[in-house]
Amino acid sequence: MLINADLHIHSRFSGATSEKMNIETISIEAKRKGVDLVATGDCLHKSWLKEISQCNVIDEGTFELNGTRFILNTEVEAKKRVHHLLFFPNITSVWDFKAKIKSKSKNLETDGRPNVDMTGEELARIARELDVLIGPAHAFTPWTSMYAAYDSLKECYGELTEYVSFLELGLSADTNFADKIKELHRLTFLTNSDSHSPHPVRLAREFNRFEVKAATYKEIKKAILRMDGNKSVLNVGLPPEEGKYHESACSSCYTHYTLIEAERRRWKCSCGKKIKKGVKDRINERADFKESLHPDFRPNYIHLIPLAEIITKAIGQRNPFTKTVNKRWEELVDIFGSEIRVLIDVNIEDIARVTAPAITEAIQLFREKKVIIKPGGGGQYGTIELPTEENKDLMTIQLGPNDTQTSLFDY
Ligand SMILES: [Zn+2]
Ligand SMILES: [Zn+2]
């Protein structure tokens, strides 16, 4: 069977996270996005773990509420501020893991995403002992990623490098960028939302589609390890240009710079503040190949723009969080079942029958890959625009190379 899974979110027990990130709301909203399974995030946090254990138990590592499955995972911030993702086979392994890192963390009981005074190698050693999966989270971002702190997987995970089985691409990168780096070719790439809110522009804005025999932890693990025929068959995510660290840009005034220009200025913006190196430049610096080379097993990557953003532009709203946008979004999702169906599967004539002509037209433009994206950088998300007479010559950035939108239609 094919399932859609978002394997990185945060609960309301993490910093800067919405109060609405409770298990009930997540279970309902995930379904409306079209996602079948969500990794819980924050599972080392006592109160969050308690909330998770109140769901129906499918097996020791899989839980269910309102038809959405959950598996246990967390993100931790280790030495050099590197973020790692960890996936746990059961609740016992969560307790055991906590016991082993307890002396190395000051906020283990208070922050959903704890800091630990350990290297990637030390963390991975404990992970291996307890049969926990580990890999770098949003591996290319400028603040808290593996490639911001280290030059290679080996530098980060040392002797345990071989144990690392996956890498999370993060919102500002995609497969075409990451496969320029040779050492990543053996890894399974994950595309996850890292959402701090259940709002549909955040939750499941990136997800993975896995071929599995059941929607359980064991089956997902096999898919990540590419065992017994299980595998990731599709990565789905924002166009990397929409990510907030895609291009090198000032973290204060958001002026964008090319790599050459930024270096010439010694990473100092004309406003005096620091220019943060964008994911695009970071990957191109690390690249072993000029053009990406994909290993045989690498699935397609499809670029999706959240429906609420498309509606926002279509009806001229200022942002996707307004009541009007929400109403239009709900109208479509209630009728057609999930956001993914509306974006990809439903006939455009059927959409036209139930929503405003401007929204139908915008969805059609998205499907034809005619939406324009102004790249993000310095911590500011990229923005989308619908083509008009005035901006049609600016249509230089489109939905990424080798974008094979059609394979979503098979779902
Ligand atoms: Zn993180
Ligand atoms: Zn500046």
Side-chain angles (χ1 to χ4, degrees), residues 214-247:
T216 63
Y217 173 77
K218 282 193 189 115
E219 290 289 315
I220 298 264
K221 178 184 170 183
K222 282 186 190 170
I224 290 173
L225 300 178
R226 305 191 297 277
M227 285 167 60
D228 296 349
N230 289 15
K231 58 192 172 183
S232 167
V233 294
L234 196 63
N235 289 106
V236 181
L238 299 177
E241 294 83 7
E242 262 207 273
K244 51 184 173 180
Y245 298 112
H246 184 70
E247 292 195 338

Side-chain angles (χ1 to χ4, degrees), residues 8 10 75 83 113 137-138 144 194:
H8 183 177
H10 290 278
E75 180 181 44
H83 286 191
R113 187 192 54 214
H138 43 75
T144 51
D194 197 354

Side-chain angles (χ1 to χ4, degrees), residues 258-298:
T258 63
L259 184 60
I260 293 169
E261 178 77 356
E263 278 171 349
R264 198 177 60 76
R265 293 176 153 276
R266 293 170 191 268
W267 299 92
K268 206 166 174 186
C269 179
S270 51
C271 79
K273 294 281 163 49
K274 258 187 116 167
I275 301 168
K276 291 310 279 184
K277 191 183 287 177
V279 165
K280 185 175 78 176
D281 291 333
R282 188 175 302 282
I283 292 177
N284 285 333
E285 272 184 343
R286 297 266 192 273
D288 299 295
F289 316 110
K290 219 170 161 43
E291 298 295 326
S292 61
L293 277 177
H294 304 296
D296 292 343
F297 67 84
R298 188 74 71 218

